[in-house]
Amino acid sequence: MANSSTSSSARAWAANAHPTLPRSFYARDTLRVARELLGKILVTRARGAVTAGRIVETEAYHGTDPAAHCGRGQTPRSAIMFGDAGVAYVYFIYGNYEMLNFVTERRGYPGAVLIRALEPVHGLERMRRRRPLAKSERDLTNGPGRLCQAMGVRLRDNGASLQGPRIAVVDDGFRPEAVMASPRVGISRATAAEWRYFIAGNPWVSRAPQNRAGRPAGRSELRSRRRIK
DNA sequence: ACTACGATCTACT
DNA sequence: GTAGATCGTAGTG
């Protein structure tokens, strides 16, 4: 399996050869942002160590969605989802794990995209040190909790700008060949909505047996603002 | 103040 | 395939 950790591409983004996604990229419909993030490169700098990975799986949460933290109105934790787009929403769950989201939409309308899986691109040694239990390269970043460990994302990154210096997302021109949509993972409400997006067949997509199960993500999905039951 | 539970991961059967 | 870990958040009293 080809992995994209060529030193040349790593040098390229480190030298700002690739553009960072502007805030306006995030201030749009959450489903669209979730889909268009696939293939972009997440870069983090934690205590001087730079790590990077290509985004291969996302999920959308927005509005009155019962599965979303913002779904029952604003709370201290979810307030950031109602604010300006283009910042990180990091929360802690199950007593052990951080989850990384990107805030979307216009101010006043809540939304965020959960980053569920990455294909490692740079800093693999550092990722392995941060995740000593990982038994394979796949295990480094094939889940939302795992990728936060590998990339050094912590609760203190909540609210951090996605324009850097700690977190940034860059576009190196890569475009996925096939994007699929499926129901979201690990939720108990609004389980019918197909707001999970992933690059078909990518080995780092979480829940491997499902990484080919889904429907082609077309424009019809992106338009859906229908009521969620 | 107290309780229930969660956008998960790991170890073990 | 499934249970246990583990704690911040939110809802309730």
Side-chain angles (χ1 to χ4, degrees):
Chain A
M1 73 183 57
N3 112 35
S4 46
S5 75
T6 63
S7 60
S8 60
S9 67
R11 266 187 241 111
W13 56 253
N16 288 327
H18 300 307
T20 297
L21 299 183
R23 296 177 63 104
S24 58
F25 176 91
Y26 303 96
R28 298 182 297 151
D29 177 84
T30 306
L31 306 189
R32 189 175 184 82
V33 175
R35 195 186 72 161
E36 294 185 12
L37 277 169
L38 296 175
K40 305 299 191 292
I41 298 180
L42 171 66
V43 185
T44 65
R45 293 173 179 79
R47 296 210 315 264
V50 177
T51 48
R54 194 177 301 284
I55 298 170
V56 300
E57 180 182 351
T58 61
E59 280 178 1
Y61 292 88
H62 73 97
T64 56
D65 175 5
H69 292 165
C70 58
R72 297 198 183 191
Q74 194 168 328
T75 65
R77 179 175 68 169
S78 69
I80 192 167
M81 293 180 75
F82 292 75
D84 289 322
V87 300
Y89 167 36
V90 181
Y91 66 89
F92 191 70
I93 196 168
Y94 296 123
N96 279 315
Y97 304 105
E98 276 101 3
M99 300 278 139
L100 172 64
N101 301 254
F102 300 157
V103 175
T104 58
E105 306 278 354
R106 335 199 106 201
R107 184 169 189 78
Y109 183 87
V113 173
L114 171 68
I115 308 303
R116 284 197 57 89
L118 303 173
E119 175 176 344
V121 169
H122 179 75
L124 292 256
E125 281 309 314
R126 177 65 57 137
M127 293 186 194
R128 286 189 196 98
R129 244 179 294 159
R130 288 175 178 149
R131 282 188 43 73
L133 295 176
K135 290 173 181 155
S136 69
E137 206 162 290
R138 259 193 93 238
D139 288 336
L140 288 175
T141 51
N142 64 337
R146 292 170 178 176
L147 75 89
C148 283
Q149 290 182 343
M151 302 288 286
V153 173
R154 311 279 288 280
L155 257 186
R156 66 169 299 111
D157 294 307
N158 190 35
S161 169
L162 300 180
Q163 313 301 119
R166 291 183 52 76
I167 304 178
V169 184
V170 305
D171 182 357
D172 71 343
F174 177 87
R175 294 293 180 270
E177 288 188 11
V179 171
M180 309 290 274
S182 81
R184 294 170 293 184
V185 174
I187 56 171
S188 57
R189 287 172 291 198
T191 54
E194 299 191 325
W195 293 345
R196 171 192 185 226
Y197 300 98
F198 55 95
I199 297 178
N202 185 282
W204 278 267
V205 172
S206 68
R207 312 259 172 143
Q210 295 177 15
N211 73 356
R212 288 173 187 278
R215 303 175 355 96
R219 291 190 165 193
S220 54
E221 271 93 10
L222 298 180
R223 256 190 280 123
S224 68
R225 280 271 187 169
R226 65 192 142 88
R227 270 185 82 77
I228 307 148
K229 65 178 170 182

